[in-house]
Amino acid sequence: RDAFNKDHLVFDGAAGSGKSFLALYLALQAVKNKSFDKIIIVRSPTQTIDVGYLPGGIDLSGVGGKLLPFISPYQKIVNDIMGKGYWDSVFGRTIHFEAGIAIRGITFDDAVVIVDEMQNMTFEEIDTVMTRVGYRSKIIWCGDYRQTDLNKKKNDVSGILKFFDIAYHMNAFTKIEFTVDDIVRSSLVKDYILAKLQHEDGATSTN
């Protein structure tokens, strides 16, 4: 909380360590305290299933909206923090969702901007989001460079590590790294991530 009050944040770390939860908790408390007017959640729709194959449009209209599968995790987190039904009472008013591919020309003023799953953004997407941050706004980046889905697409490369290098040279950012010890999703996930990292380290050392 002290880092959030002082700086913009970068959350980097293992799956299941609560990066999205913590970002939304801080943002919801800030809006509740009237430090900011709104929360903007930004996420790239790049995943193992191409958004182009999902039914509907990206305007979130109708049950078949292309972006609805990407919104549901945040709906659950918000309701867990604030109570059942809270998401429905604020979505589209206090909380907004934007696709990283569709925000050129937008300025985010007086908002907490949460960029989630940033490892699935190219540097061009990251650069676009970063340059949208306007007056009296705070940005929180969340990601894990080990989990990118972009390597499934030949010409797309994750921009997360390049952004980390740039943010490291900026006084405006505090980077908080989450380790395997911070995983809270379940003991199974924690054991799996630990075993996977040990396997990857072993494979690297033998090459």
Side-chain angles (χ1 to χ4, degrees), residues 2-3 17 20 32 37-38 40-41 49 68 71 74 76 81 89 92 108 137 164 169:
D2 290 341
S17 54
S20 304
K32 182 179 178 181
D37 286 345
K38 54 188 176 291
I40 312 291
I41 302 170
I49 300 175
L68 290 178
I71 292 176
Y74 309 106
K76 182 180 186 306
I81 294 171
S89 71
F108 300 134
S137 286
F164 284 173
H169 292 92

Side-chain angles (χ1 to χ4, degrees), residues 121-173:
M121 292 181 167
T122 65
F123 183 74
E124 288 72 21
E125 286 181 284
I126 290 173
D127 186 66
T128 297
V129 176
M130 188 67 224
T131 55
R132 301 304 96 200
V133 180
Y135 175 71
R136 258 182 45 83
S137 286
K138 180 90 65 176
I139 189 164
I140 306 174
W141 295 88
C142 303
D144 178 4
Y145 68 90
R146 302 177 190 88
Q147 294 189 77
T148 181
D149 293 312
L150 286 178
N151 57 10
K152 297 176 177 65
K153 295 191 173 185
K154 182 177 179 180
N155 296 321
D156 289 339
V157 177
S158 174
I160 186 171
L161 293 178
K162 182 176 180 179
F163 177 79
F164 284 173
D165 287 341
I166 293 170
Y168 178 78
H169 292 92
M170 296 175 63
N171 293 329
F173 279 103

Side-chain angles (χ1 to χ4, degrees), residues 165-185:
D165 287 341
I166 293 170
Y168 178 78
H169 292 92
M170 296 175 63
N171 293 329
F173 279 103
T174 293
K175 183 180 178 183
I176 299 174
E177 187 165 356
F178 295 78
T179 69
V180 174
D181 291 335
D182 296 310
I183 293 175
V184 293
R185 183 162 293 151

